Amino acid sequence: MLYQILHKILFRFTFVFILVGIFSLSFQDASAGTTGKISGRVVDKQNQPLPGANILLVGTTLGSAADMDGYFNIIKIQPGKYEVRFDFIGYKTRIVQNVLVTADHTTNLNAVLEESVLQGETVSITADRPVVELNYTSSVSTVTSSDIEIMPVRELGEIVDLQAGVVDGHFRGGRLGEVQYQINGVTVNNSYDNSSSLQIDRSLLQEVQVISGTFDAEYGQAMSGVVNVILKSGSNKFAWNAETFLSDFVFTSTDKRGVDDKFRPFSIQNYQFSISGPTFLPQTFFILSSRRYIDSGYIYGERRFNITDKSDFEQKIFTPTGDNKEIPLSDSDDFSGLIKITNQSLKNVQFEYQAIYNAIDAKRYNFGFRLNPDGMTKQRTFSIVHGLDFTHTLSANTFYTLNFRQNYYDYRDFVYEDFNDPHYDEAGPPLSDINYEIGAIVQGVDLSRFKQQTNSMVAKLALTSQINRTNLIKMGLELQHSEVKFGVPGYIISTGLLLTRHQNEPPDYPDIATYRPISVTAYAQDQLEWRDFIVRAGARLEYFDSRSTIPGDLQNPANAIAGAPTSTPKKTAKKVSIAPRIGISYPMTSNSALFFAYGHFYQMPGLGQIFTNSDYQILDELQAGGISYGVMGNPDIKPERTVQYEFGYKHAVTPNLGLDFSIFYKDIRDLLGVEFVSTYAAAEYARLTNVDFGNVLGYTIAVDQRRIGMVSTMLDYTFQRAMGNSSDPRETATRASAGEDPRPRQVPLGWDQRHTLNATLLVEVPKNFTISTIVRYGSGQPYTPSLKAGFGGGLESNSGRKPSFFRVDMRAEKYFKFEKLNLSLFSRIINLFDTRFINGFVFDDTGSPDYSLNPIGQQATLANPGRYYPPRRIEVGITLSSANQ
């Protein structure tokens, strides 16, 4: 009851604030967090304002003049470090160096000018980054390029997983696919599964902003968090950078993994090169980057058998003809790159084109093919995000941006691309015998086939305006049209040793399906900054049309029940939702502040989930007690919804020690789940709908100790309790098919890691060397234990706990500077102490990855090293760059 009352009060208060503070203003659009802002006041030594004082960002055209009270604002600043110059007639020029500006954040910079005796006197100082940012209204982690350079990480995903509240891609207890990934302010999510369509190397990152708490109205299609990435850009100086490293796994051959540790220095290779600078066109700059990353893993199979070998399984006669060559059981060959061109030749106008791509050839680990590795499917991925950005500065306080993007993603998974390839027939289906090498596959190829393609066109209009000293207004409009294709590109069915083929034979063997949903979003937001008191409030309108159909009568889904009311397809309903959000930061002292945030967050599930198996014609022969047709899809799903609350306290204890504490609660409703529908013929089928629910309660404590001497440290601890009725949308149907009670109940979710600790230790002498260490600890995630095998042998879902884990990563780098060249040598050690278990597989009868109470029945699993975490890995590399890098 108390929760409902609080919910209604906050909901209404937020809307009142928005209506009064924003919608009364004329409509204008805003860009999503890609630029920052500097605000402050210019006074003399008597604290009197200096109206008209000039403020300039050196090396840019950005600047401002102080108003009658000495206040100023500079907007549209790209993230990075700047030199800020303060000038006023009769006063010494004041220059502040290393002023850090981050995306979607206000950097406060006040200046006290001294009277000048001689003309041209200058005072220079260096700005220190605040140990705690007191003007945030929610939990935000900002990682700059200089931070990334010394961290023992390789790509964006590793940076994100280091942030407080993030556990294996789950943000504060949410399901996977609840995070919005943006690059330079525009989404790069693949709408098929709501994951990022790109893997981004650390060399491309200018800044990464991870919002794990509530977030502003400019961000949508997310319920748990936002990852906002700013890519590097070219400048008016030529610069280049190159990096390469080799890596190998180093562990004990006789340990429980059962894998031989052979010296393979080229098992992982990385080659990266980038160049940037001006072009032959006026005020036109570029950056070009390319990278190749090869990973052969540490588990190797043996080509003892060829795919066309034939064995006599009745007589147990096996005739291998392979060359016995060692073949990696999982590998990846990844090409990626960036091209970005910026033109500023027209006054107050900027054009930009950018393209970032991945091309990955991979092989997914499958222990069953360890003696016949050529029979495994291969995964090929190509993704590119590219488009144009147009930015027009209308005045010193107002600018707008137009973005046009194509997000293209193509994924293929099969052995041979051609459905009719005769090699399928020559090899046949994969076959094994439990009496030979514990069931290793000795002939044939994997017959599974899958393709998925997403082609999204995104158009976005955005404008930001500092309408007065205290109000920064943002509003935005975005249109996205997606063409999503997925399915089986031809079915190959094994009937004994013979293969039959089926293509485009619905409903049993449907062709690749194509869907073209559209979404439109609009938002409005006001950022009120009155001295140190900050309010960020806004609302987001979201519209979604799946442009599909569902049965008109779910009790006669295929319109095949004699005598039942006619059921004709009907169009899916258009979905509209309004999400109010508000955040407040209130200063307690000059060094501490309280903050509170509240918001509604909506998200459509991944289109692959709602459209899979959504042709209800397959139910034309549905009978009571008959075969199962799986869980039916549902294109008419409503948006999932989360209401978040966050309260926190920030305190700069000393200039070098900061404390950040926040407590959060998430009420999660309308999650994708399963309902059971009864037909007129007394049969029953499972169907996706909005029935699952959950809640998350937790808190985070973060301590940041800035460098004293050579040493700096950071530590964050998160406690959270993530509860819900199911960890997977189809879990209810799985329980029902196993004869278990499918009724809703609340249990720990599968990623409910109660205790998470991240600690970072940095030893550094700038421009000489750095040694960084990251320590991670996590308590075990839940699993469902069993007392015996078979029906009725399990205990309550997720009532057991996996073992806790401890992992340490290190990076050491030594810098050398020459007249025209910078050089560094580095080494990185991942999993320093060779931890074998980090929230992986455990046997349900022991809760351990090491042993089972049924060793005979589990002998194949016990022989599989893939159940363990990858072993210690050592990288050795070199970085070269131009002297001005």
Side-chain angles (χ1 to χ4, degrees):
M1 186 66 179
L2 179 61
Y3 162 75
Q4 293 177 340
I5 295 173
L6 178 62
H7 175 81
K8 289 180 179 179
I9 292 173
L10 288 172
F11 188 91
R12 292 173 181 174
F13 170 75
T14 303
F15 257 109
V16 169
F17 187 97
I18 296 161
L19 289 170
V20 174
I22 299 177
F23 292 144
S24 60
L25 300 169
S26 60
F27 181 82
Q28 44 197 351
D29 293 287
S31 75
T34 60
T35 61
K37 168 184 167 185
I38 295 178
S39 294
R41 193 180 187 214
V42 186
V43 298
D44 61 17
K45 281 197 168 185
Q46 286 72 44
N47 202 35
Q48 295 300 307
L50 297 177
N54 290 316
I55 304 94
L56 176 68
L57 268 64
V58 178
T60 76
T61 59
L62 300 175
S64 181
D67 64 15
M68 293 302 296
D69 296 316
Y71 291 97
F72 72 93
N73 292 290
I74 306 175
I75 64 172
K76 206 190 71 171
I77 308 173
Q78 293 296 321
K81 290 184 178 181
Y82 293 89
E83 184 177 290
V84 183
R85 179 186 180 105
F86 296 86
D87 287 304
F88 193 64
I89 297 175
Y91 289 80
K92 296 179 182 179
T93 297
R94 186 178 182 87
I95 297 176
V96 185
Q97 300 172 332
N98 289 335
V99 177
L100 180 66
V101 177
T102 58
D104 206 23
H105 176 66
T106 300
T107 298
N108 292 317
L109 185 64
N110 298 316
V112 179
L113 303 188
E114 304 175 25
E115 291 188 24
S116 175
V117 178
L118 300 175
Q119 187 175 358
E121 287 185 288
T122 301
V123 177
S124 295
I125 63 172
T126 300
D128 292 324
R129 182 179 178 180
V131 69
V132 172
E133 295 287 357
L134 299 178
N135 52 1
Y136 280 128
T137 60
S138 64
S139 294
V140 180
S141 298
T142 301
V143 187
T144 65
S145 58
S146 57
D147 298 327
I148 295 170
E149 287 174 1
I150 59 177
M151 295 170 65
V153 296
R154 182 179 62 84
E155 52 95 21
L156 175 64
E158 296 178 13
I159 298 171
V160 172
D161 278 341
L162 279 174
Q163 309 311 310
V166 181
V167 177
D168 298 334
H170 300 269
F171 278 51
R172 288 190 172 177
R175 288 177 173 177
L176 291 176
E178 293 185 357
V179 178
Q180 173 69 214
Y181 286 85
Q182 295 196 345
I183 293 182
N184 290 353
V186 182
T187 179
V188 294
N189 277 23
N190 180 0
S191 52
Y192 172 77
D193 59 4
N194 287 336
S195 65
S196 174
S197 60
L198 293 169
Q199 297 179 19
I200 305 175
D201 181 64
R202 70 188 207 130
S203 63
L204 304 180
L205 303 174
Q206 175 65 32
E207 179 179 294
V208 177
Q209 187 181 75
V210 180
I211 309 175
S212 56
T214 57
F215 40 92
D216 291 339
E218 56 188 315
Y219 301 107
Q221 187 56 12
M223 295 197 301
S224 291
V226 174
V227 177
N228 189 23
V229 176
I230 310 298
L231 298 178
K232 291 181 178 178
S233 299
S235 67
N236 58 2
K237 294 182 180 179
F238 275 109
W240 59 270
N241 172 277
E243 179 179 283
T244 184
F245 66 76
L246 303 177
S247 180
D248 191 16
F249 296 90
V250 180
F251 58 100
T252 304
S253 296
T254 57
D255 71 3
K256 294 181 179 180
R257 292 187 180 92
V259 178
D260 289 335
D261 178 20
K262 295 185 178 181
F263 180 61
R264 299 185 178 99
F266 296 95
S267 60
I268 295 179
Q269 307 169 50
N270 183 85
Y271 308 95
Q272 178 268 326
F273 178 78
S274 64
I275 184 171
S276 63
T279 67
F280 60 90
L281 298 173
Q283 292 297 302
T284 303
F285 315 104
F286 79 97
I287 181 171
L288 179 66
S289 181
S290 183
R291 171 178 170 268
R292 186 182 185 190
Y293 181 77
I294 302 170
D295 184 353
S296 300
Y298 74 99
I299 303 176
Y300 282 67
E302 173 191 348
R303 190 189 282 133
R304 186 182 305 178
F305 292 88
N306 287 313
I307 59 175
T308 55
D309 286 347
K310 304 300 178 184
S311 299
D312 187 340
F313 289 95
E314 289 187 2
Q315 299 298 323
K316 310 298 181 186
I317 299 174
F318 303 94
T319 54
T321 65
D323 57 10
N324 297 320
K325 182 180 178 180
E326 286 190 329
I327 304 294
L329 288 184
S330 67
D331 58 37
S332 176
D333 193 350
D334 178 2
F335 286 90
S336 61
L338 165 72
I339 180 171
K340 189 175 180 181
I341 300 173
T342 305
N343 178 276
Q344 300 171 343
S345 57
L346 298 178
K347 184 178 180 181
N348 298 326
V349 173
Q350 175 176 294
F351 293 93
E352 190 168 80
Y353 172 81
Q354 66 176 18
I356 182 168
Y357 74 92
N358 290 151
I360 306 172
D361 287 339
K363 182 170 60 180
R364 187 183 302 113
Y365 177 79
N366 188 331
F367 187 62
F369 280 92
R370 61 192 177 276
L371 302 181
N372 178 25
D374 294 337
M376 301 168 64
T377 63
K378 300 172 181 62
Q379 296 77 46
R380 298 170 179 86
T381 303
F382 176 77
S383 57
I384 183 170
V385 175
H386 72 115
L388 291 168
D389 300 330
F390 170 79
T391 303
H392 184 197
T393 302
L394 300 177
S395 69
N397 296 322
T398 304
F399 70 95
Y400 69 89
T401 301
L402 283 170
N403 308 100
F404 301 95
R405 290 280 194 280
Q406 180 187 23
N407 297 348
Y408 180 82
Y409 182 88
D410 184 272
Y411 173 81
R412 304 173 182 217
D413 186 358
F414 33 61
V415 179
Y416 306 111
E417 183 165 3
D418 186 357
F419 168 60
N420 294 302
D421 195 310
H423 289 95
Y424 276 120
D425 303 280
E426 295 170 9
L431 297 176
S432 63
D433 190 300
I434 189 62
N435 296 304
Y436 184 84
E437 295 284 359
I438 324 176
I441 294 170
V442 296
Q443 68 181 60
V445 298
D446 191 331
L447 301 180
S448 63
R449 297 169 57 81
F450 182 75
K451 291 179 70 173
Q452 193 272 305
Q453 185 183 96
T454 301
N455 188 14
S456 297
M457 307 302 294
V458 182
K460 185 173 183 178
L461 171 65
L463 184 150
T464 300
S465 183
Q466 186 78 42
I467 61 172
N468 54 40
R469 182 195 303 169
T470 57
N471 291 87
L472 179 70
I473 297 296
K474 293 184 176 184
M475 293 185 183
L477 183 66
E478 180 178 312
L479 171 66
Q480 179 169 331
H481 176 272
S482 297
E483 182 180 78
V484 180
K485 300 179 180 180
F486 65 92
V488 178
Y491 296 78
I492 303 177
I493 308 299
S494 169
T495 55
L497 294 178
L498 298 178
L499 303 181
T500 59
R501 287 173 167 82
H502 303 273
Q503 190 169 28
N504 196 18
E505 300 174 16
D508 296 325
Y509 303 104
D511 199 4
I512 291 178
T514 301
Y515 303 94
R516 297 180 177 87
I518 61 171
S519 64
V520 182
T521 61
Y523 64 87
Q525 180 172 306
D526 183 16
Q527 179 174 316
L528 169 67
E529 297 177 336
W530 185 71
R531 297 185 179 178
D532 294 324
F533 177 69
I534 298 172
V535 178
R536 300 166 73 106
R540 186 175 184 89
L541 174 68
E542 299 184 342
Y543 167 93
F544 177 82
D545 185 359
S546 67
R547 303 171 75 189
S548 186
T549 61
I550 59 172
D553 187 343
L554 293 176
Q555 293 182 277
N556 185 13
N559 196 31
I561 301 176
T566 302
S567 176
T568 57
K570 68 175 183 180
K571 292 183 177 180
T572 54
K574 299 173 176 61
K575 310 301 187 299
V576 179
S577 56
I578 299 177
R581 301 168 193 177
I582 187 168
I584 299 172
S585 177
Y586 179 77
M588 302 294 291
T589 68
S590 60
N591 296 319
S592 64
L594 294 172
F595 70 88
F596 169 76
Y598 159 82
H600 287 230
F601 305 89
Y602 292 89
Q603 180 179 19
M604 291 302 301
L607 300 182
Q609 289 185 308
I610 65 177
F611 284 121
T612 294
N613 200 27
S614 60
D615 183 359
Y616 286 71
Q617 291 303 310
I618 66 171
L619 302 178
D620 59 350
E621 297 181 1
L622 179 67
Q623 297 178 7
I627 64 172
S628 171
Y629 292 87
V631 177
M632 303 302 297
N634 181 4
D636 205 29
I637 286 292
K638 298 185 299 184
E640 299 172 314
R641 176 171 62 94
T642 292
V643 179
Q644 291 195 50
Y645 305 81
E646 184 176 17
F647 176 82
Y649 174 72
K650 300 174 182 284
H651 188 189
V653 182
T654 71
N656 294 313
L657 182 64
L659 172 68
D660 191 339
F661 170 80
S662 62
I663 185 170
F664 55 89
Y665 176 76
K666 297 169 63 174
D667 181 53
I668 310 168
R669 301 298 173 100
D670 294 333
L671 284 174
L672 203 60
V674 170
E675 68 174 350
F676 295 93
V677 181
S678 296
T679 70
Y680 292 115
E684 192 175 72
Y685 64 94
R687 173 179 184 260
L688 290 176
T689 191
N690 300 93
V691 295
D692 280 1
F693 58 89
N695 63 78
V696 183
L697 175 67
Y699 62 86
T700 294
I701 302 174
V703 179
D704 187 355
Q705 177 254 311
R706 293 294 166 82
R707 185 157 61 93
I708 300 176
M710 294 190 300
V711 180
S712 60
T713 59
M714 288 185 291
L715 183 146
D716 65 73
Y717 165 77
T718 300
F719 169 84
Q720 68 177 21
R721 187 200 65 187
M723 307 289 287
N725 71 306
S726 67
S727 301
D728 179 84
R730 290 171 169 79
E731 183 178 320
T732 300
T734 302
R735 294 205 316 271
S737 64
E740 300 176 7
D741 186 354
R743 291 177 296 181
R745 79 276 192 259
Q746 198 164 50
V747 297
L749 297 175
W751 50 89
D752 176 39
Q753 185 169 293
R754 295 293 169 91
H755 306 281
T756 304
L757 180 70
N758 297 315
T760 302
L761 171 65
L762 176 64
V763 180
E764 176 185 23
V765 175
K767 301 181 181 180
N768 189 349
F769 73 88
T770 59
I771 301 174
S772 59
T773 304
I774 294 177
V775 180
R776 311 181 205 199
Y777 166 81
S779 60
Q781 295 179 3
Y783 77 100
T784 301
S786 66
L787 298 176
K788 60 180 180 180
F791 176 75
L795 296 175
E796 184 179 355
S797 297
N798 286 344
S799 59
R801 286 282 165 176
K802 298 178 182 179
S804 59
F805 70 86
F806 176 79
R807 172 181 156 182
V808 178
D809 299 337
M810 291 188 66
R811 178 185 172 95
E813 188 164 10
K814 172 65 178 176
Y815 305 99
F816 302 90
K817 188 173 181 62
F818 303 98
E819 183 178 355
K820 296 183 179 180
L821 176 71
N822 294 330
L823 179 149
S824 70
L825 303 176
F826 66 88
S827 177
R828 185 167 76 123
I829 305 176
I830 298 91
N831 194 10
L832 175 65
F833 295 109
D834 196 17
T835 297
R836 289 195 306 272
F837 179 83
I838 298 182
N839 277 328
F841 168 86
V842 297
F843 292 99
D844 58 10
D845 55 1
T846 65
S848 169
D850 297 329
Y851 67 99
S852 168
L853 299 180
N854 180 25
I856 301 300
Q858 296 285 359
Q859 57 181 331
T861 306
L862 287 166
N864 185 353
R867 70 186 191 278
Y868 288 110
Y869 193 76
R872 178 192 304 112
R873 181 163 65 87
I874 299 177
E875 292 177 359
V876 177
I878 183 172
T879 300
L880 301 170
S881 64
S882 55
N884 61 339
Q885 184 78 342

mmCIF file of all heavy atoms in Angstrom, residues 266-286:
data_model
loop_
_atom_site.group_PDB
_atom_site.id
_atom_site.type_symbol
_atom_site.label_atom_id
_atom_site.label_comp_id
_atom_site.label_asym_id
_atom_site.label_seq_id
_atom_site.Cartn_x
_atom_site.Cartn_y
_atom_site.Cartn_z
ATOM 1 N N PHE A 266 51.359 -17.756 -30.747
ATOM 2 C CA PHE A 266 50.515 -17.064 -31.718
ATOM 3 C C PHE A 266 49.048 -17.463 -31.578
ATOM 4 O O PHE A 266 48.258 -17.239 -32.494
ATOM 5 C CB PHE A 266 51.004 -17.358 -33.140
ATOM 6 C CG PHE A 266 52.374 -16.833 -33.428
ATOM 7 C CD1 PHE A 266 53.490 -17.652 -33.277
ATOM 8 C CD2 PHE A 266 52.566 -15.522 -33.825
ATOM 9 C CE1 PHE A 266 54.763 -17.168 -33.528
ATOM 10 C CE2 PHE A 266 53.824 -15.025 -34.085
ATOM 11 C CZ PHE A 266 54.937 -15.850 -33.929
ATOM 12 N N SER A 267 48.680 -18.044 -30.447
ATOM 13 C CA SER A 267 47.288 -18.460 -30.279
ATOM 14 C C SER A 267 46.346 -17.263 -30.269
ATOM 15 O O SER A 267 45.196 -17.370 -30.687
ATOM 16 C CB SER A 267 47.126 -19.279 -29.002
ATOM 17 O OG SER A 267 47.495 -18.519 -27.862
ATOM 18 N N ILE A 268 46.836 -16.120 -29.785
ATOM 19 C CA ILE A 268 46.070 -14.870 -29.862
ATOM 20 C C ILE A 268 46.982 -13.801 -30.438
ATOM 21 O O ILE A 268 48.105 -13.605 -29.970
ATOM 22 C CB ILE A 268 45.529 -14.456 -28.484
ATOM 23 C CG1 ILE A 268 44.518 -15.493 -27.980
ATOM 24 C CG2 ILE A 268 44.877 -13.080 -28.548
ATOM 25 C CD1 ILE A 268 43.946 -15.178 -26.623
ATOM 26 N N GLN A 269 46.491 -13.107 -31.458
ATOM 27 C CA GLN A 269 47.275 -12.062 -32.120
ATOM 28 C C GLN A 269 46.404 -10.822 -32.294
ATOM 29 O O GLN A 269 45.206 -10.927 -32.563
ATOM 30 C CB GLN A 269 47.764 -12.531 -33.490
ATOM 31 C CG GLN A 269 48.522 -13.848 -33.487
ATOM 32 C CD GLN A 269 48.727 -14.378 -34.887
ATOM 33 O OE1 GLN A 269 49.181 -13.664 -35.790
ATOM 34 N NE2 GLN A 269 48.379 -15.645 -35.104
ATOM 35 N N ASN A 270 47.037 -9.659 -32.189
ATOM 36 C CA ASN A 270 46.321 -8.396 -32.361
ATOM 37 C C ASN A 270 47.200 -7.432 -33.145
ATOM 38 O O ASN A 270 48.384 -7.240 -32.819
ATOM 39 C CB ASN A 270 45.968 -7.782 -31.016
ATOM 40 C CG ASN A 270 45.157 -6.503 -31.159
ATOM 41 O OD1 ASN A 270 43.945 -6.539 -31.291
ATOM 42 N ND2 ASN A 270 45.828 -5.355 -31.129
ATOM 43 N N TYR A 271 46.614 -6.811 -34.193
ATOM 44 C CA TYR A 271 47.324 -5.826 -34.997
ATOM 45 C C TYR A 271 46.378 -4.647 -35.209
ATOM 46 O O TYR A 271 45.273 -4.820 -35.728
ATOM 47 C CB TYR A 271 47.743 -6.410 -36.345
ATOM 48 C CG TYR A 271 48.498 -7.725 -36.227
ATOM 49 C CD1 TYR A 271 47.823 -8.944 -36.344
ATOM 50 C CD2 TYR A 271 49.868 -7.743 -35.985
ATOM 51 C CE1 TYR A 271 48.498 -10.138 -36.226
ATOM 52 C CE2 TYR A 271 50.554 -8.944 -35.855
ATOM 53 C CZ TYR A 271 49.858 -10.138 -35.980
ATOM 54 O OH TYR A 271 50.532 -11.327 -35.857
ATOM 55 N N GLN A 272 46.828 -3.456 -34.823
ATOM 56 C CA GLN A 272 45.957 -2.282 -34.906
ATOM 57 C C GLN A 272 46.754 -1.084 -35.398
ATOM 58 O O GLN A 272 47.910 -0.865 -35.002
ATOM 59 C CB GLN A 272 45.341 -1.983 -33.532
ATOM 60 C CG GLN A 272 44.452 -0.763 -33.470
ATOM 61 C CD GLN A 272 45.211 0.494 -33.074
ATOM 62 O OE1 GLN A 272 46.148 0.439 -32.280
ATOM 63 N NE2 GLN A 272 44.799 1.629 -33.610
ATOM 64 N N PHE A 273 46.131 -0.293 -36.270
ATOM 65 C CA PHE A 273 46.785 0.910 -36.782
ATOM 66 C C PHE A 273 45.727 1.980 -37.002
ATOM 67 O O PHE A 273 44.626 1.704 -37.478
ATOM 68 C CB PHE A 273 47.502 0.628 -38.107
ATOM 69 C CG PHE A 273 48.153 1.853 -38.699
ATOM 70 C CD1 PHE A 273 49.364 2.313 -38.200
ATOM 71 C CD2 PHE A 273 47.544 2.545 -39.735
ATOM 72 C CE1 PHE A 273 49.965 3.444 -38.739
ATOM 73 C CE2 PHE A 273 48.133 3.680 -40.277
ATOM 74 C CZ PHE A 273 49.351 4.129 -39.779
ATOM 75 N N SER A 274 46.068 3.216 -36.647
ATOM 76 C CA SER A 274 45.167 4.339 -36.895
ATOM 77 C C SER A 274 45.978 5.556 -37.299
ATOM 78 O O SER A 274 47.137 5.722 -36.890
ATOM 79 C CB SER A 274 44.319 4.650 -35.660
ATOM 80 O OG SER A 274 45.132 5.063 -34.582
ATOM 81 N N ILE A 275 45.363 6.405 -38.113
ATOM 82 C CA ILE A 275 45.980 7.646 -38.553
ATOM 83 C C ILE A 275 44.896 8.714 -38.599
ATOM 84 O O ILE A 275 43.736 8.428 -38.920
ATOM 85 C CB ILE A 275 46.657 7.467 -39.936
ATOM 86 C CG1 ILE A 275 47.395 8.750 -40.335
ATOM 87 C CG2 ILE A 275 45.665 7.042 -40.996
ATOM 88 C CD1 ILE A 275 48.264 8.564 -41.580
ATOM 89 N N SER A 276 45.254 9.932 -38.259
ATOM 90 C CA SER A 276 44.276 11.024 -38.254
ATOM 91 C C SER A 276 44.970 12.325 -38.596
ATOM 92 O O SER A 276 46.197 12.446 -38.505
ATOM 93 C CB SER A 276 43.599 11.135 -36.885
ATOM 94 O OG SER A 276 44.553 11.450 -35.882
ATOM 95 N N GLY A 277 44.172 13.305 -38.991
ATOM 96 C CA GLY A 277 44.726 14.615 -39.295
ATOM 97 C C GLY A 277 43.886 15.369 -40.293
ATOM 98 O O GLY A 277 42.743 14.999 -40.585
ATOM 99 N N PRO A 278 44.442 16.437 -40.885
ATOM 100 C CA PRO A 278 43.699 17.228 -41.870
ATOM 101 C C PRO A 278 43.732 16.559 -43.245
ATOM 102 O O PRO A 278 44.585 15.726 -43.533
ATOM 103 C CB PRO A 278 44.467 18.558 -41.889
ATOM 104 C CG PRO A 278 45.875 18.163 -41.524
ATOM 105 C CD PRO A 278 45.754 17.014 -40.562
ATOM 106 N N THR A 279 42.770 16.924 -44.087
ATOM 107 C CA THR A 279 42.750 16.456 -45.470
ATOM 108 C C THR A 279 43.160 17.618 -46.371
ATOM 109 O O THR A 279 43.518 18.709 -45.898
ATOM 110 C CB THR A 279 41.355 15.966 -45.868
ATOM 111 O OG1 THR A 279 40.459 17.092 -45.886
ATOM 112 C CG2 THR A 279 40.841 14.939 -44.871
ATOM 113 N N PHE A 280 43.102 17.403 -47.668
ATOM 114 C CA PHE A 280 43.430 18.472 -48.618
ATOM 115 C C PHE A 280 42.304 19.486 -48.743
ATOM 116 O O PHE A 280 42.469 20.527 -49.376
ATOM 117 C CB PHE A 280 43.747 17.872 -49.992
ATOM 118 C CG PHE A 280 42.610 17.080 -50.576
ATOM 119 C CD1 PHE A 280 41.655 17.709 -51.374
ATOM 120 C CD2 PHE A 280 42.486 15.727 -50.316
ATOM 121 C CE1 PHE A 280 40.601 16.979 -51.901
ATOM 122 C CE2 PHE A 280 41.429 15.004 -50.849
ATOM 123 C CZ PHE A 280 40.488 15.629 -51.647
ATOM 124 N N LEU A 281 41.151 19.205 -48.139
ATOM 125 C CA LEU A 281 40.029 20.141 -48.164
ATOM 126 C C LEU A 281 40.105 21.076 -46.970
ATOM 127 O O LEU A 281 40.595 20.698 -45.888
ATOM 128 C CB LEU A 281 38.703 19.375 -48.139
ATOM 129 C CG LEU A 281 38.432 18.441 -49.320
ATOM 130 C CD1 LEU A 281 37.166 17.634 -49.080
ATOM 131 C CD2 LEU A 281 38.321 19.243 -50.614
ATOM 132 N N PRO A 282 39.630 22.299 -47.100
ATOM 133 C CA PRO A 282 39.706 23.240 -45.974
ATOM 134 C C PRO A 282 38.847 22.791 -44.796
ATOM 135 O O PRO A 282 37.719 22.343 -44.977
ATOM 136 C CB PRO A 282 39.192 24.554 -46.574
ATOM 137 C CG PRO A 282 38.377 24.151 -47.765
ATOM 138 C CD PRO A 282 39.024 22.916 -48.299
ATOM 139 N N GLN A 283 39.419 22.912 -43.588
ATOM 140 C CA GLN A 283 38.711 22.610 -42.348
ATOM 141 C C GLN A 283 38.037 21.228 -42.384
ATOM 142 O O GLN A 283 36.911 21.051 -41.905
ATOM 143 C CB GLN A 283 37.666 23.694 -42.057
ATOM 144 C CG GLN A 283 38.252 25.047 -41.702
ATOM 145 C CD GLN A 283 39.068 24.980 -40.409
ATOM 146 O OE1 GLN A 283 38.550 24.602 -39.361
ATOM 147 N NE2 GLN A 283 40.344 25.349 -40.495
ATOM 148 N N THR A 284 38.757 20.273 -42.953
ATOM 149 C CA THR A 284 38.238 18.915 -43.048
ATOM 150 C C THR A 284 39.257 17.962 -42.434
ATOM 151 O O THR A 284 40.431 17.967 -42.828
ATOM 152 C CB THR A 284 37.965 18.516 -44.501
ATOM 153 O OG1 THR A 284 37.050 19.461 -45.083
ATOM 154 C CG2 THR A 284 37.352 17.130 -44.586
ATOM 155 N N PHE A 285 38.798 17.145 -41.495
ATOM 156 C CA PHE A 285 39.700 16.277 -40.741
ATOM 157 C C PHE A 285 39.198 14.834 -40.832
ATOM 158 O O PHE A 285 38.016 14.580 -41.080
ATOM 159 C CB PHE A 285 39.754 16.720 -39.276
ATOM 160 C CG PHE A 285 39.891 18.204 -39.104
ATOM 161 C CD1 PHE A 285 38.799 18.984 -38.717
ATOM 162 C CD2 PHE A 285 41.087 18.837 -39.368
ATOM 163 C CE1 PHE A 285 38.913 20.344 -38.581
ATOM 164 C CE2 PHE A 285 41.220 20.203 -39.232
ATOM 165 C CZ PHE A 285 40.130 20.964 -38.836
ATOM 166 N N PHE A 286 40.105 13.906 -40.612
ATOM 167 C CA PHE A 286 39.735 12.499 -40.737
ATOM 168 C C PHE A 286 40.421 11.675 -39.656
ATOM 169 O O PHE A 286 41.440 12.071 -39.077
ATOM 170 C CB PHE A 286 40.129 11.955 -42.115
ATOM 171 C CG PHE A 286 41.602 11.627 -42.225
ATOM 172 C CD1 PHE A 286 42.052 10.323 -42.038
ATOM 173 C CD2 PHE A 286 42.539 12.628 -42.482
ATOM 174 C CE1 PHE A 286 43.405 10.020 -42.114
ATOM 175 C CE2 PHE A 286 43.889 12.328 -42.561
ATOM 176 C CZ PHE A 286 44.327 11.018 -42.372
#
